[in-house]
Amino acid sequence: MSKDGINIPKDFPQLQNDTFLRAVRGEKTEHVPVWCMRQAGRYLPEFREFRAGKDFFETCQSPESCCELTLQPLRRFPFDAAIIFSDILVVPQAMGMEVQMVPGKGPTFPTPLKEPEDLQRLSAKVDVNKELGYVFKAITLTRHRIEGKVPLIGFTGAPWTLMSYMIEGGGSSTHSKAKRWLYRHPQSSHMLLKMLTDVIVEYLLAQVAAGAQALQVFESHAGILGPVEFKDFSLPYLRDIARRVKERLKEGGQDVPMIVFAKDAHYALEDLSQSHYEVVGLDWTVDPRSARERTGGKVSLQGNMDPCALYAPKEHISDIVKKMLEGFGTRNYIANLGHGLYPDMDPENVGAFVEAVHTHSRQMNIQI
Ligand code: 1CP
């Protein structure tokens, strides 16, 4: 029985397709596993229909809805992993900030952080079970309803990416308000990043306790930092998160693979590959062969087809996928896009992408 009296059984169905988990460990697999960032999203007509007229964060707070949206893409495509439907901005909400999803505009914070004094508005100690229990319930429910078809990935935004939203008040092309803090208030910036790190560690651990079988950390705004700022304001926190989560899991005799996706941080590939994460996610600006050379074969790589390649005719998608597989090789590799799917993408082409990964990688494995 959980704290609020809801019975959450943990007798999850046995995993049938563990290709993703085996690839993470560098084991031989029949085909290269594949999933897509934003696979539960607006490119699917059934997603648009389900979400129609519903508030975004109310949907996030409904475990039944999150479960349904997570499962939708699996009914269409033979993906090798699922990612729980939620959003990275539930963490700032849990720390006391208001966030609205404004249709046509995206996430909006009506009262963003303006000055370092505003940090006092945030809850420093967040009881994640109380504030984010709905995410954990969604994970547990989905682990049951997914019937062991594929592993379920939990996720979080990384501290810098969340900090930038909390200061910008929404999406931004320059992130200049958030970067202003880094240059003018470095101490307060570190204070905020540390607060976020502490909450994120608890949040990820609770996702594992609820049933997450892998964890992805999204540093979507890494590219807006240069190599020097990244080393100061992002990398130490990414490392701290993985180190602390792994340590605590180990104490309980558990081990869950972690993926770091620092978008546009090609300058930091070497560092990222030595940051306690089993998998480094890549955007499409990195050449597969050079990524392998620079990461030294110790970590698995995930990515990185340009999402816009899905606008190409299907035969062309197949050729692009083949080249990508030849570049990465079929071991220690998880195929994905270099960022999320866009709402105007054709589900049929997503299907062609998945099929091309499976078919070409099977053929390559036979030839080896
Ligand atoms: O109404 C809608 O459906 C809005 C679109 C949408 C969706 C489908 C948003 C708003 N969030 C989500 C779900 C979501 N967000 C998932 C789970 C679904 C899946 O991946 O299958 C995940 C993993 C996220 C993570 C997320 N949210 C990131 C990191 C990944 C990335 O894209 O870099 C970020 C940056 C966000 C913020 C966010 N949420 C939504 C939007 C449109 C944005 C970006 C805003 C901006 O910066 O302009």
Side-chain angles (χ1 to χ4, degrees), residues 7 112 114 128 148 158 171 200 220-221 246 266 273 286 327:
N7 203 2
K114 289 214 164 89
V128 291
I200 286 166
S220 302
H221 299 171
K246 298 223 157 264
H266 32 80
S273 70
V286 188

Side-chain angles (χ1 to χ4, degrees), residues 35-42 47 51 54-57 60 69-70 73 82-89 101 105-107 155-157 161 165 170-172 175 216 218-221 261 263 339-340 343:
W35 66 281
C36 286
M37 289 188 271
R38 289 280 166 97
Q39 65 191 33
R42 281 177 294 173
F47 179 95
R51 287 262 306 105
K54 295 193 188 92
D55 176 73
F56 180 79
F57 286 110
C60 290
L69 293 173
T70 305
I83 183 159
I84 191 70
F85 177 85
S86 185
D87 198 79
I88 61 168
L89 298 174
M101 194 60 72
K105 189 173 168 214
F155 71 90
T156 181
T161 296
Y165 276 112
S172 158
H175 301 261
Q216 175 150 325
F218 286 95
E219 188 68 295
S220 302
H221 299 171
F261 174 64
K263 187 170 176 292
H339 201 198

Side-chain angles (χ1 to χ4, degrees), residues 92 173 178 183 198 204 208 212 249 260 294 361-362:
S173 55
Y183 289 103
D198 291 346
L204 290 176
V208 174
L249 286 178
V260 60
R294 291 174 58 197
S361 60
R362 277 199 189 104

